[in-house]
Amino acid sequence: MRVLVLLLSVFLPVFLIAQASVEDFTLGGTARILNDECIRLTPDAQYASGSAWYEKAIDLTRPFELTVCLVLGENDDLGADGIGFVFHPTRQTGYRGEGMGFAGLVPSLGIEFDTYQNYHLADPSQDHVAISINGQTHHYASVSGPNPVPNLEDGNKHLLWINWDPIYQKLTVQLDGKERASLEADIVDKVFQGNATVYWGVTAATGRKTNYQDICIKKLVFAEAGY
């Protein structure tokens, strides 16, 4: 059963902390709930794509922390494609496959955990993390990365922490306890054209090569838009 806690502070707005909140996601494509913490975005099958969008918008003028675990399957050499985190003013999924669910979305911010090398996108040979804006998937346009990481296709849970600090205007991405990507920018103005209200979702896809790909919710801390 999910646990919801509201924290009140004279300095901060109302924050929602959600634990094991899979019920708060709208699922698309092949995405299915596995248990009270985990969503399987894709099965280990060819040309699958799945998405999970959190149902409530967040306010980017306030800080947020997303703590989850990623599972990117067990097929290493034969595995693909990876998982993307997408921030967009609506719950709209972009092009899948190598597009990681954020390709073509404008305005948008995407964080990719890519397990397949697409040469034409300037991917490194290793699994990698990158931050891109406005649906541009070629790494010439990445605002952070691509940064190689150790093999993610090992069947294990990989702890992910995404933090946004609006005071210092810094987005930080930590995977398995190490910072893998970051962006220092006024995201509200530079990316979302002054709109501080966005939704966030998680997408995954396979192609000719495959993997089951899961997200497991640990803790979500953010200010709901409108508070």
Side-chain angles (χ1 to χ4, degrees), residues 20-105:
S21 54
V22 292
E23 297 175 5
D24 289 331
F25 287 81
T26 299
L27 306 186
T30 59
R32 299 290 183 270
I33 291 175
L34 288 180
N35 51 49
D36 61 358
E37 284 191 347
C38 299
I39 296 170
R40 175 147 295 172
L41 297 167
T42 66
D44 188 0
Q46 290 185 329
Y47 303 107
S49 61
S51 62
W53 282 91
Y54 199 79
E55 63 182 13
K56 296 178 181 178
I58 62 176
D59 180 358
L60 291 180
T61 67
R62 306 297 183 181
F64 71 72
E65 295 182 23
L66 311 179
T67 306
V68 303
C69 285
L70 304 181
V71 183
L72 289 121
E74 300 176 67
N75 300 327
D76 189 3
D77 292 338
L78 299 177
D81 272 278
I83 289 177
F85 277 70
V86 188
F87 297 83
H88 187 60
T90 66
R91 288 180 292 181
Q92 179 182 353
T93 302
Y95 301 119
R96 311 204 184 228
E98 65 186 34
M100 306 294 289
F102 62 83
L105 292 181

